[in-house]
Amino acid sequence: MTRRHIMFAACGLLAAMLALDLRTSPPNPYNAPAMLALGSGAAPVGGFCGAPAGTPGS
C-alpha cells in the first residue's frame, strides 16, 4: 500500500464516522450550552474528567 491508499482510507473512514454521527444526532445550536456564560447566573455544566463524581456531604 502506498501513502495515497492510506490517505484515502483514512479520509473515507473519517467521513463515514462524521456521517454516522450527524445521522444519529443532528446538531441543534439552540440546545447547546453557552460557550461563555460569565456573570449570567447559568450553572456550570459539562464534563471535566478530573472532577470528583459527587460533592462531599450530599
Side-chain angles (χ1 to χ4, degrees):
M1 293 184 94
T2 64
R3 288 184 183 179
R4 182 166 290 183
H5 290 109
I6 300 294
M7 179 194 66
F8 283 127
C11 288
L13 181 63
L14 183 63
M17 288 174 49
L18 182 63
L20 178 67
D21 182 47
L22 287 173
R23 184 174 178 160
T24 57
S25 59
N28 184 353
Y30 301 107
N31 196 21
M35 287 181 65
L36 293 174
L38 301 174
S40 69
V45 294
F48 174 59
C49 296
T55 56
S58 56

